[in-house]
Amino acid sequence: MSSTVHAGDSTKKLMAVRWIHITRNVAISEYFEYMDSLVNAYDSLVSYPLTEHLLVRANPWIIDTLANTDYYRMIARDSFVYDQRKLLVLKSPDSILIPDSLSAACIIDSFKKTHLDVNIPEFKLRIYQDTALLFTFPVRVGKNTKKYLAMGDKITDLRTITGRGEIVRLERNPKFYNPVDQKRFYITKRDDNKRTLMPQIPWIETEINGIRNGQMIHPTTNPKTLGKASSNGCLGTRESDAWIIYYYAPPGTAITIRYDLEIINVKGDKVKLKDIYSYRY
């Protein structure tokens, strides 16, 4: 990987390398490896622990670029993409800002104050920083049924589990298996009936009530299922939203998954939601 300064240049000062100049085009398939190389090269030059999440949050245009690789955003621009992994994210002569220590401290502090909130019957995932609402995304949730899953070799309640916990792991290059029969797959049928390769978009693993039960936050290639109880328990999002959630919710981020049937809508009115799991409370 090439960049303007290498890890061996330990005598360089941060002010001399405030910008990383991208010298070649980088596609999604090699994006994470490239970002790791930048973190390794520049970490010793700054006074704080440099991470991929910190670096990207200091350069929000990268998140926008990744979000725009969403299959359905591309289709809206009359661009069919069979393999999203070939889409370019970083291009020469782009530049990435290395934040100064004050800016980095602010971003690190924002991570500590961020939490995810999911209300199952509302089909919404929200990102808060303290009490400030940053984002609201539609999601799909687990089906109201039980089913045998070969992946766990048991009859499994597919309803999304409620409780409190945190993000414990990020899977940046997920492999795709049908949980019913454990067969691996590589192709997906989109809502427009076209087939594409599965995208390389990170999956986010949660630990709820102290238990890692495989309940993930991940993109769905079929956004028509959003706003429905249609998953095997995971929280499904749009591809574009999955990139945003990934960069706002590093490991350690708090998450609450609740089942509140009474909410206040944007007009300030109290609304009773459908009891999709028949909890009746």
Side-chain angles (χ1 to χ4, degrees):
M1 302 297 175
S2 58
S3 52
T4 54
V5 176
H6 302 283
D9 300 328
S10 57
T11 59
K12 297 282 187 178
K13 298 299 182 181
L14 174 60
M15 294 307 295
V17 291
R18 286 298 305 281
W19 292 93
I20 303 171
H21 300 294
I22 307 302
T23 58
R24 66 180 183 85
N25 294 339
V26 179
I28 290 177
S29 62
E30 56 184 343
Y31 166 74
F32 290 112
E33 180 183 357
Y34 186 81
M35 294 302 293
D36 287 346
S37 75
L38 296 184
V39 171
N40 291 334
Y42 289 89
D43 181 59
S44 63
L45 305 181
V46 296
S47 59
Y48 52 85
L50 185 62
T51 66
E52 171 207 343
H53 280 68
L54 196 161
L55 193 57
V56 172
R57 284 289 298 278
N59 295 269
W61 64 268
I62 299 178
I63 302 177
D64 293 338
T65 302
L66 289 163
N68 281 326
T69 65
D70 183 312
Y71 172 85
Y72 295 94
R73 288 192 181 185
M74 299 292 291
I75 282 292
R77 299 196 293 270
D78 295 321
S79 179
F80 170 75
V81 179
Y82 177 71
D83 186 357
Q84 289 161 276
R85 293 172 297 181
K86 294 182 179 180
L87 293 174
L88 299 182
V89 181
L90 305 174
K91 302 177 183 179
S92 176
D94 290 341
S95 294
I96 298 177
L97 174 68
I98 300 178
D100 58 31
S101 57
L102 181 59
S103 298
C106 289
I107 295 171
I108 293 171
D109 185 59
S110 73
F111 285 141
K112 297 176 182 177
K113 295 178 179 178
T114 298
H115 68 277
L116 307 184
D117 174 80
V118 178
N119 189 18
I120 293 171
E122 193 180 5
F123 303 104
K124 293 288 174 61
L125 182 153
R126 296 177 172 88
I127 301 180
Y128 287 92
Q129 186 174 312
D130 282 337
T131 58
L133 176 62
L134 302 181
F135 301 98
T136 301
F137 299 129
V139 296
R140 70 179 186 183
V141 300
K143 300 172 186 175
N144 184 25
T145 189
K146 294 181 179 180
K147 189 174 186 178
Y148 174 78
L149 300 181
M151 189 164 287
D153 193 25
K154 63 179 180 179
I155 300 294
T156 303
D157 187 340
L158 301 185
R159 294 179 296 185
T160 298
I161 297 169
T162 61
R164 297 179 182 274
E166 63 180 307
I167 304 304
V168 292
R169 187 176 67 91
L170 306 173
E171 180 54 66
R172 300 192 299 182
N173 189 16
K175 295 178 175 61
F176 304 96
Y177 294 88
N178 185 330
V180 176
D181 57 18
Q182 269 195 309
K183 291 184 178 179
R184 188 174 180 182
F185 61 94
Y186 302 86
I187 305 293
T188 182
K189 185 178 180 181
R190 300 283 185 164
D191 287 342
D192 57 8
N193 291 320
K194 296 179 180 178
R195 297 181 186 276
T196 71
L197 291 178
M198 292 297 294
Q200 185 182 343
I201 303 173
W203 287 36
I204 301 171
E205 184 178 355
T206 64
E207 180 182 277
I208 303 299
N209 303 325
I211 300 173
R212 296 173 67 165
N213 48 44
Q215 193 161 277
M216 311 284 283
I217 302 171
H218 66 80
T220 173
T221 56
N222 302 105
K224 283 185 178 180
T225 61
L226 298 175
K228 299 177 182 178
S230 58
S231 79
N232 290 313
C234 292
L235 297 165
T237 73
R238 290 179 295 218
E239 293 177 349
S240 54
D241 298 342
W243 283 112
I244 296 171
I245 297 167
Y246 172 74
Y247 278 115
Y248 276 79
T253 301
I255 180 170
T256 299
I257 303 178
R258 53 194 173 92
Y259 194 91
D260 292 344
L261 293 173
E262 289 191 353
I263 65 168
I264 304 298
N265 65 16
V266 293
K267 296 180 180 179
D269 300 323
K270 184 178 291 187
V271 176
K272 185 70 176 285
L273 301 173
K274 182 179 178 180
D275 186 4
I276 60 172
Y277 287 169
S278 301
Y279 285 152
R280 294 185 174 86
Y281 64 81

